[in-house]
Amino acid sequence: MGEATAKKKKSTIKTSKDTLLEAFKLMCTAKTLAEKYEENKEVTSKYVHATSRGHEAIQLACGMQLKPQDWVAPYYRDDSILLGIGMTPYDLMLQVFAKKDDPFSGGRTYYSHPSLNDDDKPKIPHQSSATGMQAIPTTGVAMGIQYKEVQGLAEDFDGVNPVVVCSLGDASCTEGEVSEAFQMAALKQFPIIYLVQDNGWDISANAEETRAQDITKYAQGFNGIEVRTIDGSDFDTSYQTMQEVIDLVRKERRPFIVHAKVPLLGHHTSGVRKEWYRDDLEEAAKDDPYPKLKALLREAGIDEADIINIEADTRKNIDAEYDRAINADEPEPDSITDYIFAPTPITEEKGEREPKGKKKTVMVDSALFAVRELMAKHPEALLYGQDVGGRLGGVFREAATLAQQFGDERVFNTPIQEAFIIGSTVGMSAVGLKPFVEVQFADYIWPGLNQLFTEVSRSYYLSNGKWPVSCVIRVPIGAYGSGGPYHSSSVESVLTNIRGIKVAYPSTGADLKGLIKAAYYDPNPVVLLEHKGLYWSKIPGTEGAMSIEPDEDYVVPFGKARTVIEAAADKVEAGESCAVITYGRGVYWTLEAAKAFEGQVEIIDLRTLNPLDHDAINAAAQKHSKVMLVTEESEEASFTLGLAGRIQRDNFEALDAPVAIVGSVDTPAIPLNSILEAALLTNGEKVKSALDDLLNY
């Protein structure tokens, strides 16, 4: 045998022996967990779960390199990322059984739907099941980190700057909201890594059926995102690639996509089993990362006995922890109402509502002044949305001069991306910022509804109180000036059915300013509905929307209604009065109608639709025994119809008449023609007629 032949082949492994050994222990843990779940599928499949089987190499290569200052958004197949950052098998099994001490959600959400806020691990904001939806909130984290660095608000990590990792399946990248995240990351150069795991499958549909290209080609359309494509089943390659990319992002603060080709060796989920529809299982098994990593260990000089002992010890540990987890405590039934809303510090009206020596100002300016005062006081406050930047200051001039005063980094335009505008607040809030965002018209909120419902509203509840979302979403609303079918809609019935968000709908500038202040200091998400027809009081009869601007300390607590006018005591005593409960422009239609019934009408302005002032509503019903509701929405299947049912349920014996409702005509859209618009809308005459009927019932 010649000398060259006799020489041992030189190893090409770049990853250290210690790292390989640690990775094998973790990969063995992930594989054994998956096997344990499958062996006990009759028990473990009570709650749906998926595992990382086949994806372990790239996931561990990522998770093992993240630091406590970093952020990561694993998705539902990423239990190896969780093991890589330091979670234990027991932690994960508590979640597969939805136990009380599940560290992510207290038994509220699925396996590998993590949320974590531990000091010694990367932070994980709430993760939902909606495919690809994590891209926007996680990109919001990166946007927030960039903002804090630019503004001098960031913590010093001795040059080891935080990175953000968003994990995605390649199939999820066909979602439009993923492209919104990529667009913003490319445009603004956020410090984020999109880890795209490509196993070639959706559920039963494969890539050839559902994708025109993989993420490598798709990403070419986003100028400014660098891409790496690798064999994600090879741990050494995966580790080295992730190390290179993480180091680059720490230093250069720009976005990357790592596209990792991996086999799917497990089921889609425990409820959708691979043998039902796949014919590629033997082929996929050839890329199993587990034997590949074992081969690397042998090449690196790890004894076979050590490998066997690790496998045996892991199995013994998993068996013991499984028994411990399955016998752990279940959540208490009473805990179901914990963490719906985070406690707010604003619980009573404070400050001066009508300072002396001031003239009345239009409603839109009261809002502008509120935001200006908050931004001047709080460097963590910022404002973004469509057309709010320096050139225009909002299509209603509601942000006029703010960009000039606070700079383009604190007040800036976004692309036409309602989903990103709303969903990014999850990440911005998580890093400690206080975003004001704007949806230009209520009609435009629909593209953002998925983020509002799935991510924003549920974060506090499903993270078991770890991640409240503190944001203020401003939404001009209502019909005014022939806005037509796409600029005139009322959307409060949809919004008030999203649990976990607060909704305000003020009718005066003073209330708008006070509610903006309260919303800013509230740790929960708030949607502020601002009737654009009241902004300048140009509509005859809405002059009352103009008000003396309250002082800087003025706040209006959520859930506290306002009495606009009070009925005369003698009319109440004689049973000749009624209460009208309304909000927004409904206040002014009712004021117009009430002139015909002097002293007989008491008007309650709700000011906030969630939470409601139940005490004021019930007190009015008990006091007058006749109640009318006035709304700009149509009556059917609406917030107002639900409120009528609640009033009748809670005050049935006190009522002398059915609760009346006056609303707009029930149509699919609001017509453009001004005559048709007027015919559709609620108005003073309609309210007057209904009041006459109610008072004479």
Side-chain angles (χ1 to χ4, degrees), residues 357-648:
K358 282 191 171 185
K359 294 182 179 180
K360 287 187 176 183
T361 186
V362 292
M363 190 171 175
V364 70
D365 283 349
S366 292
L368 173 65
F369 300 154
V371 174
R372 177 185 295 161
E373 289 170 356
L374 287 163
M375 292 188 69
K377 189 174 183 179
H378 301 285
E380 66 274 19
L382 68 163
L383 168 66
Y384 55 95
Q386 294 169 31
D387 298 303
V388 300
R391 286 194 195 91
L392 187 60
V395 295
F396 298 105
R397 305 295 287 152
E398 73 282 1
T401 73
L402 291 178
Q404 288 84 351
Q405 182 173 350
F406 298 108
D408 293 336
E409 291 80 23
R410 292 188 69 190
V411 180
F412 56 89
N413 295 325
T414 66
I416 302 170
Q417 295 184 342
E418 286 81 10
F420 186 88
I421 290 167
I422 291 173
S424 62
T425 65
V426 175
M428 297 290 272
S429 176
V431 301
L433 299 175
K434 293 276 193 169
F436 287 98
V437 298
E438 291 198 11
V439 174
Q440 203 165 75
F441 291 90
D443 303 76
Y444 299 173
I445 203 168
W446 309 122
L449 214 59
N450 201 355
Q451 287 290 323
L452 186 63
F453 177 78
T454 306
E455 312 300 328
V456 175
S457 74
R458 295 179 166 193
S459 178
Y460 185 61
Y461 186 74
L462 290 180
S463 70
N464 221 26
K466 290 189 292 294
W467 295 110
V469 177
S470 184
C471 66
V472 184
I473 303 168
R474 296 183 61 188
V475 184
I477 191 171
Y480 163 64
S482 298
Y486 306 109
H487 300 83
S488 308
S489 296
S490 294
V491 299
E492 58 264 33
S493 288
V494 173
L495 297 177
T496 52
N497 270 286
I498 300 176
R499 280 70 170 166
I501 63 172
K502 295 185 177 182
V503 181
Y505 200 148
S507 65
T508 72
D511 285 333
L512 178 53
K513 183 175 183 182
L515 286 164
I516 285 177
K517 292 292 183 76
Y520 179 82
Y521 293 114
D522 199 310
N524 301 288
V526 173
V527 177
L528 269 170
L529 302 176
E530 305 173 17
H531 199 292
K532 60 183 187 287
L534 303 181
Y535 267 157
W536 301 283
S537 293
K538 290 182 178 179
I539 303 171
T542 64
E543 294 81 9
M546 295 178 63
S547 56
I548 293 172
E549 183 203 351
D551 70 6
E552 187 172 352
D553 297 325
Y554 184 65
V555 290
V556 174
F558 276 65
K560 297 291 183 184
R562 173 178 71 97
T563 301
V564 181
I565 57 171
E566 195 168 358
D570 61 327
K571 298 293 186 181
V572 176
E573 185 69 25
E576 297 174 353
S577 65
C578 71
V580 177
I581 297 169
T582 186
Y583 55 92
R585 192 175 168 189
V587 169
Y588 301 99
W589 288 318
T590 309
L591 281 169
E592 178 187 341
K595 293 174 183 177
F597 307 95
E598 188 174 352
Q600 292 182 271
V601 179
E602 188 154 308
I603 302 176
I604 306 296
D605 179 2
L606 290 172
R607 300 198 288 194
T608 67
L609 309 186
N610 187 32
L612 280 167
D613 191 342
H614 295 290
D615 291 342
I617 292 167
N618 291 334
Q622 296 280 332
K623 178 180 177 181
H624 300 282
S625 299
K626 293 180 179 179
V627 178
M628 177 184 291
L629 307 177
V630 176
T631 179
E632 185 169 321
E633 283 195 301
S634 62
E635 298 176 27
E636 301 305 320
S638 68
F639 162 78
T640 312
L641 190 61
L643 181 56
R646 184 183 293 114
I647 292 169
Q648 292 184 162

